[in-house]
Structures are given as structure tokens and as C-alpha cells.
Amino acid sequence: MDKLEKVAREAALRAGELQKSRLGKIKSLDYKSAFNIVTDVDKASEALIIETLTQEFPDACFLAEESGESGSKSGRRWIIDPLDGTTNFAHSYPFFCVSIACEEDGQVVLGVVYNAVASEMFVAAKGQGATLNGEKINVSMRTSLETSLLATGFPPDTLKSVHHNMDSFRAITNMCHGVRRDGSAALDLCFVASGRLDGFWERKLSAWDVAAGALIVEEAGGKVSNLEDGPLDMMSGHILATNGKIHAEVVKALAASRTETVAS
Ligand code: IPD
Ligand code: CA
Ligand code: CA
């Protein structure tokens, strides 16, 4: 294991343990917008992660959800969601994680996602496969949407958006075994990587939601794209991740459901 991975794992572990110890014990809760919340634990987790990474990499540069861009402009950038699944966390619903990605010259080379409640650490390094608690993971073998289990998510301003995703949620629910909405995009991506889900899509995510998880899916043998099967643009935040085998079918289903929205 190289130093980059070792330090990222350590940062995720520290923040994850903090989250586990503070579950049900939030000290403050603020609103970024009507339904978009942030707690003192989001902020403390982010500070802990940045401190841990900076200790070992003093010239580090960051893009982190709560503090934005910071650090020196170097060729390496850490993309951090200190607590993905804040709404779950705030309600003591135990499905949330820490997500840390490392980007070098514009390419994500390392992804670490840690679910402290389940003691599950997902890791992928570019070109080296993906692991869960050190064991290699692979995407599922399912070849049809009809027999698949998927997940999706909704932004906090769901119904204000033209493309609010309810149309796709409804349509695809009727085409497969089910569509889960579990409230942590990074964990949803890791569940695709480990074959627990066959696919995941969401609109309007942020780079920190997907940077680590997208690499973990790819390194587990899956496919990641935008919703039209083009290259993923982390800044646009529209993502489809599948086991690869059902990708084309989901792209088609998403396109059909969006046409329904525009027509109605
Ligand atoms: C949220 C989660 C959720 C997704 C939202 C995100 P946060 O991130 O990933 O699953 O549906 O769009 O904003 O705010 O808990 O870090
Ligand atoms: Ca997030
Ligand atoms: Ca977050």
C-alpha cells in the first residue's frame, strides 16, 4: 500500500469513528437551504480529514464540501465529502460515510469510502482493482434490467427542478426488481461496485459525492458515464453507474422517462 492510500485510509477511519461516536449526539444543525442541512459533525469530520492529510502532505490542495477550495495549487487535489448522507446521520438512520478521492493532473487516482457503522472500507487505486476491507470486489453479473436492483437519489430541491428525477424513478421502478433511495450517493456507488446493486443514477450531484465512488465502480469492473452514456463530468453531477451489462438498457430507460416529462 503506498503512502497516499495509507494516509487517505487513516483520514477516513478517523472521521468515520468520530461520526460513529456522535451518532444521535449532534450539537448543532444548520440549514444551507430549505431541506439541505449541515451538522457540527460534518464540519468536525472535514477538519479532521484535512488536518490528517495536511500533516503528511503539507502542499495538499483541497476541494471539500464544507470549506470549498483550499491549500496550495499543486498537481494533486483531494476531493472530500466528509459525511455523505447528512440527512440520514441527523436522523440517526445508519447509512452514511466518509468519501475521499485523490486527483492527480485532473484524473482521480485513488478513492476511499468508509462506512463506520458497518466497519466497511471501500478502496480503489487506478489500475489496481477495488477492495472492501482488503478483499477484492466485483460488480454483479446480472445481464437484464428486469432482474436488477438499482438505487437513485434526489437533490434537496427535488420538485423545483424540471429534471427532478421522479419521472425516471417511477418508470424504472416498473421495469426492475426495485429502485432504492438510501440517501448516500457514495455508498450507493460502492454497493454497485460490490454487486449489492446492479446500477445507480442521480442528477445534480457534486464532485465530492462521486469522485471516489466512481473510481471504485470502474475498478470493480463496472461502467460509469453521464446519463446519456457520455463521459462523466463530475462538475455537472449527472451520473449513471452500473455493472456494465445493463448500462445500455438503463440509458434507454432514462431517456424514455425524460421524454415523458418534457412531453407532459
Ligand atoms: C447527499 C447524498 C444523497 C444525495 C444528495 C446529496 P450529503 O449528500 O449523497 O444521497 O441524494 O443529492 O446531496 O448532503 O448528505 O453530503
Ligand atoms: Ca454528499
Ligand atoms: Ca456531505
Side-chain angles (χ1 to χ4, degrees):
M1 189 193 307
D2 72 0
K3 184 176 170 190
L4 218 56
E5 182 178 328
K6 188 168 167 283
V7 179
R9 279 173 180 266
E10 181 60 27
L13 264 177
R14 283 189 190 171
E17 292 316 309
L18 170 74
Q19 291 164 14
K20 199 162 77 173
S21 74
R22 297 286 306 281
L23 189 57
K25 296 175 206 153
I26 289 168
K27 288 183 189 149
S28 75
L29 190 152
D30 295 319
Y31 284 85
K32 293 179 182 175
S33 62
F35 300 110
N36 192 2
I37 56 182
V38 58
T39 73
D40 58 308
V41 181
D42 294 69
K43 292 174 189 164
S45 299
E46 185 161 307
L48 195 54
I49 294 165
I50 290 180
E51 183 194 299
T52 306
L53 296 173
T54 307
Q55 258 166 19
E56 294 297 330
F57 304 107
D59 63 345
C61 161
F62 300 102
L63 172 63
E65 181 173 10
E66 310 310 336
S67 54
E69 294 192 55
S70 64
S72 61
K73 294 267 174 269
S74 63
R76 182 183 291 155
R77 181 167 78 147
W78 296 91
I79 303 175
I80 301 164
D81 191 335
L83 204 177
D84 185 51
T86 297
T87 303
N88 288 344
F89 180 79
H91 289 267
S92 298
Y93 183 92
F95 197 80
F96 52 85
C97 65
V98 180
S99 176
I100 301 175
C102 182
E103 192 184 62
E104 282 179 348
D105 301 322
Q107 199 185 39
V108 177
V109 295
L110 174 73
V112 172
V113 172
Y114 182 52
N115 173 348
V117 171
S119 299
E120 289 193 332
M121 174 86 77
F122 297 87
V123 178
K126 186 90 185 154
Q128 291 173 41
T131 57
L132 164 54
N133 292 345
E135 301 289 326
K136 194 168 168 22
I137 50 171
N138 295 294
V139 292
S140 72
M141 297 297 287
R142 226 154 264 120
T143 53
S144 79
L145 177 57
E146 198 178 7
T147 58
S148 290
L149 182 65
L150 286 86
T152 191
F154 305 91
D157 65 346
T158 303
L159 293 175
K160 286 190 201 145
S161 168
V162 182
H163 295 308
H164 50 60
N165 200 28
M166 287 295 176
D167 48 3
S168 303
F169 181 52
R170 186 174 194 278
I172 296 177
T173 295
N174 284 325
M175 300 169 82
C176 65
H177 278 186
V179 180
R180 302 290 178 252
R181 190 278 169 100
D182 240 334
S184 167
L187 278 183
D188 289 331
L189 288 165
C190 290
F191 277 28
V192 174
S194 53
R196 295 169 180 171
L197 291 169
D198 306 296
F200 163 73
W201 85 91
E202 188 163 345
R203 296 173 185 154
K204 293 171 73 178
L205 285 168
S206 298
W208 47 76
D209 297 310
V210 300
L215 179 67
I216 294 171
V217 171
E218 284 175 346
E219 289 297 323
K223 181 168 180 184
V224 177
S225 71
N226 65 16
L227 301 179
E228 287 84 33
D229 208 8
L232 170 68
D233 171 6
M234 286 197 303
M235 303 317 283
S236 88
H238 304 310
I239 186 169
L240 170 62
T242 72
N243 64 3
K245 299 157 201 76
I246 63 163
H247 210 84
E249 231 187 317
V250 184
V251 169
K252 210 170 137 195
L254 285 169
S257 62
R258 275 203 305 280
T259 309
E260 280 164 26
T261 303
V262 174
S264 62

